[in-house]
Amino acid sequence: MGPKRGNSTIMWSMYIIFAVIFSIMVIVDLVGNTLVILVVLQNESMKTPVNYLLVNLAVADILVGVFFGIQFVITPTITHPQNGIGDLLCKLVTGGVPGWVGAVASVFSLVAIAIERYYAVMFPHIQRGKLTKAKIVTFVIVSWSLALLWAGVGFFITVYNKEIHACAHSWPEDVYANVYTVGWTVVAGIMPLGIMGFLYARVVHRLWFTNQANEATQRALLRYRRRVTKLVIAVTVVYALCWVPELTIYFLGFTGAIHLQTIHFNIASALVFFNSTINPAVYGLQSSMFRKHFWNLICCRKGRRTNQVIPVLETTAQRPHLVGDEMV
């Protein structure tokens, strides 16, 4: 779909609408997630274990922004090479495959954060409740390995289709395409939502529906953990609102309930893209500490340097020192 294909006015209008939407999301995605990375890496007070998981999430979301932007904004306006070179470009660049790898890595990163929150709240005083550097590296490696293993299938099946003048999937058998479609529903929908739903349900029960200590320090710690939980649940809800409709569209196409067309693919991709775009606003800008460093970075101001490690979800109210529960 694009202006050089000489299609109808409707197709041209559709391209313009989606091109504008995707262009805005590319800018917001790249700026927002880059700021997240810079704020964490340039400030000692922000270098907490979970913040590094958010850096991993931001990298995945940037990958989505770059390659979705190429696929939906730039590619339709150029004369795409054909034959072997065209197939190679579709696999590596114009087909958006690396972007889908990033999207899946983003989902798995959210699962990693949910696991961290579960152990921090349910087992705060034992070693397995602590998020160490080794565990961070493990989370990162596992999330990207699984994402590449699943979404990386696109590197093998994406080719340039001369009939539709665009990159498309080419399966040796239709049954493989059907299995892969159902698999997406499980890998990017049912499985992560099930895991996060179970973990956060346990966390919510512990924080809101069990007796807690009455000491002032414990009450302050409880309020802090509740704020953190509300934030990560908000992140999960946004993910669900973006991914469930996308997966539903493809599943309905698989069952034959709807006939998938270009607009369905564009809408589904826009929803996934929006999830990566909005993440910094959801989990980053909720933090007063993060906002302070955010504005310092934008205004090129140097804040007072400190080596004190402060949890990111800090508020103007004072609270006690948290041991082993540093969470953004």
Side-chain angles (χ1 to χ4, degrees), residues 11-314:
M11 293 296 292
W12 167 261
S13 300
M14 186 187 303
Y15 167 75
I16 293 298
I17 292 173
F18 278 102
V20 171
I21 293 174
F22 274 85
S23 296
I24 294 173
M25 287 197 293
V26 167
I27 295 172
V28 175
D29 180 298
L30 298 184
V31 172
N33 286 293
T34 298
L35 287 174
V36 170
I37 296 172
L38 292 177
V39 163
V40 173
L41 297 184
Q42 291 185 2
N43 297 278
E44 291 297 323
S45 63
M46 306 295 281
K47 293 181 179 180
T48 60
V50 175
N51 287 352
Y52 285 120
L53 284 182
L54 293 184
V55 168
N56 182 59
L57 178 60
V59 170
D61 289 338
I62 286 176
L63 199 64
V64 174
V66 170
F67 286 95
F68 275 34
I70 293 174
Q71 181 181 9
F72 292 97
V73 179
I74 298 177
T75 300
T77 66
I78 65 175
T79 301
H80 199 287
Q82 301 182 17
N83 302 321
I85 296 179
D87 290 345
L88 185 62
L89 282 176
C90 282
K91 296 177 188 296
L92 300 179
V93 183
T94 56
V97 179
W100 286 103
V101 173
V104 177
S106 177
V107 173
F108 291 157
S109 295
L110 293 177
V111 174
I113 293 173
I115 294 173
E116 187 281 333
R117 274 296 82 199
Y118 174 78
Y119 280 107
V121 172
M122 303 299 292
F123 309 101
H125 303 300
I126 61 177
Q127 185 59 35
R128 66 172 178 171
K130 309 295 187 299
L131 188 61
T132 63
K133 290 183 178 180
K135 291 179 181 178
I136 293 173
V137 173
T138 300
F139 277 139
V140 171
I141 293 176
V142 170
S143 65
W144 283 98
S145 297
L146 292 176
L148 187 60
L149 182 65
W150 181 256
V153 173
F155 290 118
F156 301 96
I157 64 171
T158 304
V159 297
Y160 184 74
N161 189 311
K162 297 179 182 179
E163 295 181 359
I164 63 174
H165 303 286
C167 299
H169 288 172
S170 177
W171 294 93
E173 299 290 343
D174 290 340
V175 65
Y176 298 145
N178 294 334
V179 171
Y180 195 57
T181 299
V182 175
W184 267 99
T185 304
V186 176
V187 173
I190 296 175
M191 183 178 69
L193 281 175
I195 294 174
M196 289 188 285
F198 171 77
L199 296 179
Y200 287 141
R202 295 289 304 277
V203 170
V204 167
H205 181 266
R206 169 62 66 88
L207 295 178
W208 273 273
F209 300 102
T210 59
N211 294 327
Q212 304 289 332
N214 294 322
E215 291 81 359
T217 299
Q218 291 299 318
R219 289 198 300 269
L221 179 57
L222 177 62
R223 288 195 298 270
Y224 167 74
R225 287 176 173 168
R226 284 177 174 176
R227 289 197 301 271
V228 172
T229 302
K230 289 178 181 178
L231 174 60
V232 293
I233 289 178
V235 173
T236 304
V237 170
V238 171
Y239 148 74
L241 292 176
C242 292
W243 275 85
V244 170
E246 187 269 351
L247 296 170
T248 301
I249 289 174
Y250 282 104
F251 190 77
L252 291 176
F254 161 73
T255 59
I258 62 174
H259 177 64
L260 291 179
Q261 299 179 1
T262 300
I263 189 172
H264 295 127
F265 177 67
N266 289 347
I267 292 174
S269 300
L271 289 169
V272 173
F273 196 178
F274 181 74
N275 186 204
S276 294
T277 300
I278 203 66
N279 273 338
V282 175
Y283 64 74
L285 300 182
Q286 295 291 325
S287 160
S288 61
M289 285 298 299
F290 195 98
R291 284 195 299 273
K292 182 187 76 171
H293 292 299
F294 179 84
W295 287 113
N296 285 343
L297 193 60
I298 292 178
C299 300
C300 299
R301 295 199 304 258
K302 287 188 177 181
R304 185 173 60 184
R305 295 183 63 85
T306 175
N307 290 327
Q308 180 184 5
V309 177
I310 305 174
V312 182
L313 271 187
E314 189 61 85

